[in-house]
Amino acid sequence: MGLGLISAVSKLQMVSTSDHASIVSMNLFVALLCACIVLGHLLEENRWMNESITALVIGVCVGVVILLFSGGTSSHILVFSEDLFFIYLLPPIIFNAGFQVKKKQFFVNFMTITMFGAIGTLISCTIITLGATQAFKWMDVGPLEVGDLLAIGAIFAATDSVCTLQVLNQDETPLLYSLVFGEGVVNDATSVVLFNAIQSFDLNQINSSIALHFLGNFLYLFIASTLLGVLTGLLSAYIIKKLYIGRHSTDREVALMMLMAYLSYMLAELAYLSGILTVFFCGIVMSHYTWHNVTESSRITTKHAFATLSFVAETFIFLYVGMDALDIEKWKFVSDSPGTSVAVSSVLLGLILLGRAAFVFPLSFLSNLAKKSQNDKISFRQQVIIWWAGLMRGAVSMALAYNQFTMSGHTSLRSNAIMITSTITVVLVSTVVFGMLTKPLIRLLLPHTDTKTDSMASLDPSTPKSFTVPLLGSAQDSVGDFDAHEIRRPSSIRALLSTPTHTVHRLWRKFDNSFMRPVFGGRGFVPVEPGSPSDRSNGHQWH
């Protein structure tokens, strides 16, 4: 009895000690997040630094301090967890990006974005895999199987869409932003799908049937993930429009939007689809329909709530990666041959540069062939910026590398440790060096940005970011008047074929106004009287 009591007390003390340690860790982490926000504000006007680089540098510096205080035994207060990243941190970032994106700019360039994100990722993955296979033969890396080498291609083909949000401005360079960020979202999804396919297929017998099976699997995932996101967004719009929840509580409207968005991501993961694509398209649909069905106070709240959650998650990720970069356990395995780790990192960086160039320039050329207007074509200088801005590697690469080369964040094989430390090095170097040079490169290559053209291109009253545009009742916000001068009915088959995006946009507007908005609401929906159910007769108006 006495022994049982003593053991119970000792267990309780151990639990309380671990609880105390986790509380100390969280306190320190929250304090560091506050420091990142303050420093980010102070460095706002700096042409070299951005939020992600600031958080990464602070993370590394704190890692060094913890390493010194712990006597070289530990460098982090939280261990990098791919579950934490994929389940909690990534969804709000990708959702907010879809929610705030300039939809017109995104869909006008949709084919180019899909080419870059899907075909480009496959090209980049192939080049990185082939290059790594040849280069690692000459280096003392250790045993790596076919699956490991293919996984390396998928890991380093994944661009960092979070970094893109930081280095490109949607209002200053709308075309570049929509292309690079849109490609980043599709690219992340493609990389994860590729990675999962590599892990599930028998790679010792690669033949044409496996290649076709993989292609079919990829198309299924892409289409199913997109449809799931669209359907969840439409369901949220229908529920809020029908029930008009805002007459009782704006909090319920905001909560329902947030939870439905997160539900779309988790449903995709549950069904083994791409949660990234699902939540991105859910954000686009919610901004087009759901956002216009809620009360004005809910609009303001959702706009800022989603942006704040996304911002905190972004800062958290870079701080997290920066602190984990100095994990002494992983570096111990490569301490006997630091030259090998540096050489592997250098080779991988070179392959990333080559792999991206191999698809950006040829695919841009193909994209330009399909465009008649000179203004719609991607100039060579813009191609260089697209190539450069997508070179950064981030948390997606880290998460995939940990999945492939470690068990529960730890590794005991030298070859695996080399790959983990090389991934960390590539993420740090690419984010800091390429990220710092992106803004100066844009100023150098595009010194005289036509602000009038940019502002016209970025004008999209249906986007939550364009909050100053009158939302209801003005002719300026009328769907029928919007871009009427640009999208005319084609006079012939030849004219229809020469401006396919404009034709599709016009047909979509017609379908949207006639069928979608009466059912799902959207811009133009106004309840007749405050508190009235929206499905009552004449429960919405068209302006």
Side-chain angles (χ1 to χ4, degrees):
M1 179 76 179
L3 286 171
L5 188 63
I6 290 166
S7 65
V9 169
S10 63
K11 280 180 183 176
L12 193 64
Q13 285 175 338
M14 283 170 66
V15 169
S16 64
T17 306
S18 64
D19 283 350
H20 180 72
S22 63
I23 290 167
V24 169
S25 298
M26 287 312 297
N27 266 296
L28 181 55
F29 217 89
V30 171
L32 288 172
L33 282 170
C34 293
C36 288
I37 291 167
V38 172
L39 274 172
H41 168 70
L42 295 173
L43 295 169
E44 183 69 34
E45 302 302 321
N46 191 296
R47 63 183 293 188
W48 300 99
M49 297 295 281
N50 60 53
E51 299 277 0
S52 55
I53 296 171
T54 307
L56 205 57
V57 170
I58 290 173
V60 172
C61 292
V62 172
V64 170
V65 172
I66 295 172
L67 204 60
L68 293 172
F69 272 97
S70 66
T73 57
S74 176
S75 68
H76 50 64
I77 51 175
L78 293 170
V79 181
F80 188 90
S81 160
E82 58 182 288
D83 286 342
L84 175 70
F85 170 69
F86 277 114
I87 295 174
Y88 301 110
L89 297 176
L90 194 60
I93 296 170
I94 302 299
F95 173 76
N96 184 61
F99 194 71
Q100 305 274 13
V101 79
K102 302 272 192 289
K103 292 188 288 294
K104 186 182 169 216
Q105 191 73 28
F106 178 81
F107 285 107
V108 161
N109 298 299
F110 187 71
M111 287 309 296
T112 309
I113 287 167
T114 308
M115 271 203 313
F116 280 179
I119 300 168
T121 304
L122 290 170
I123 293 169
S124 182
C125 177
T126 305
I127 287 172
I128 292 168
T129 298
L130 292 174
T133 305
Q134 295 303 314
F136 292 172
K137 281 180 183 175
W138 302 98
M139 297 179 190
D140 183 24
V141 175
L144 287 172
E145 296 176 2
V146 177
D148 291 330
L149 291 165
L150 285 167
I152 287 167
I155 289 164
F156 291 101
T159 62
D160 188 16
S161 50
V162 179
C163 251
T164 308
L165 292 167
Q166 304 277 350
V167 298
L168 290 175
N169 189 299
Q170 186 166 212
D171 298 316
E172 288 176 9
T173 51
L175 173 64
L176 292 177
Y177 181 92
S178 68
L179 285 174
V180 178
F181 175 71
E183 177 225 326
V185 172
V186 179
N187 168 288
D188 283 349
T190 307
S191 299
V192 174
V193 170
L194 258 176
F195 185 81
N196 291 337
I198 288 161
Q199 288 191 321
S200 61
F201 286 135
D202 180 13
L203 299 167
N204 294 321
Q205 299 175 339
I206 298 174
N207 53 39
S208 57
S209 65
I210 283 184
L212 282 171
H213 182 61
F214 169 74
L215 184 64
N217 191 35
F218 173 73
L219 288 172
Y220 160 72
L221 281 169
F222 192 92
I223 294 164
S225 302
T226 304
L227 282 175
L228 179 60
V230 170
L231 290 173
T232 314
L234 289 175
L235 181 62
S236 72
Y238 185 77
I239 290 170
I240 288 176
K241 177 178 177 289
K242 278 289 179 188
L243 300 180
Y244 192 46
I245 294 168
R247 73 179 185 272
H248 289 146
S249 168
T250 57
D251 297 343
R252 285 178 190 156
E253 284 186 321
V254 176
L256 191 63
M257 284 181 75
M258 284 184 173
L259 291 171
M260 291 283 284
Y262 190 64
L263 181 66
S264 73
Y265 184 87
M266 295 313 294
L267 281 172
E269 293 298 313
L270 187 67
Y272 300 101
L273 301 173
S274 169
I276 295 170
L277 270 178
T278 298
V279 81
F280 179 72
F281 280 99
C282 181
I284 289 177
V285 172
M286 277 195 177
S287 74
H288 191 67
Y289 296 111
T290 317
W291 189 74
H292 295 284
N293 294 343
V294 300
T295 56
E296 193 168 345
S297 57
S298 291
R299 287 176 196 165
I300 297 166
T301 306
T302 50
K303 175 179 174 283
H304 292 295
F306 294 147
T308 303
L309 281 171
S310 171
F311 171 72
V312 171
E314 285 169 28
T315 312
F316 191 100
I317 285 170
F318 286 105
L319 194 58
Y320 200 52
V321 169
M323 291 177 73
D324 195 66
L326 294 170
D327 181 14
I328 203 73
E329 290 294 323
K330 298 176 188 72
W331 291 100
K332 274 179 185 173
F333 288 101
V334 295
S335 58
D336 60 330
S337 54
T340 305
S341 187
V342 171
V344 169
S345 304
S346 304
V347 165
L348 288 170
L349 276 167
L351 289 171
I352 288 167
L353 287 159
L354 181 65
R356 188 156 179 82
F359 77 81
V360 167
F361 298 106
L363 292 182
S364 295
F365 174 74
L366 288 175
S367 174
N368 286 343
L369 287 178
K371 292 176 180 175
K372 302 293 180 184
S373 170
Q374 196 63 37
N375 293 331
D376 293 337
K377 292 185 178 181
I378 309 166
S379 69
F380 180 73
R381 290 185 171 195
Q382 287 174 325
Q383 290 174 36
V384 171
I385 293 170
I386 290 167
W387 166 68
W388 184 266
L391 290 171
M392 289 167 286
R393 298 295 176 264
V396 173
S397 294
M398 288 275 285
L400 295 179
Y402 273 73
N403 187 309
Q404 180 71 19
F405 296 110
T406 71
M407 291 293 289
S408 304
H410 300 287
T411 180
S412 55
L413 292 173
R414 181 174 169 275
S415 58
N416 286 0
I418 286 175
M419 291 318 305
I420 291 289
T421 52
S422 299
T423 305
I424 291 167
T425 307
V426 167
V427 168
L428 289 174
V429 172
S430 65
T431 303
V432 175
V433 177
F434 300 153
M436 284 175 74
L437 294 175
T438 302
K439 284 182 182 176
L441 186 71
I442 291 171
R443 287 194 179 96
L444 178 70
L445 293 178
L446 303 172
H448 304 296
T449 307
D450 187 349
T451 52
K452 186 178 177 183
T453 307
D454 279 353
S455 64
M456 283 299 293
S458 65
L459 178 65
D460 186 353
S462 65
T463 299
K465 211 163 203 178
S466 311
F467 212 81
T468 52
V469 179
L471 290 167
L472 303 165
S474 84
Q476 182 184 351
D477 196 29
S478 165
V479 178
D481 294 341
F482 182 64
D483 273 348
H485 64 284
E486 187 182 325
I487 304 168
R488 296 192 184 94
R489 184 184 294 275
S491 56
S492 64
I493 295 292
R494 188 174 179 181
L496 186 147
L497 293 173
S498 65
T499 56
T501 53
H502 292 169
T503 306
V504 170
H505 190 220
R506 186 184 64 79
L507 293 171
W508 161 248
R509 282 290 187 201
K510 196 172 178 182
F511 174 76
D512 196 26
N513 291 342
S514 303
F515 299 101
M516 299 299 284
R517 285 202 168 112
V519 178
F520 299 106
R523 192 169 69 251
F525 158 68
V526 189
V528 171
E529 52 188 299
S532 67
S534 57
D535 57 345
R536 194 175 292 172
S537 59
N538 299 322
H540 60 267
Q541 298 170 10
W542 298 98
H543 300 282

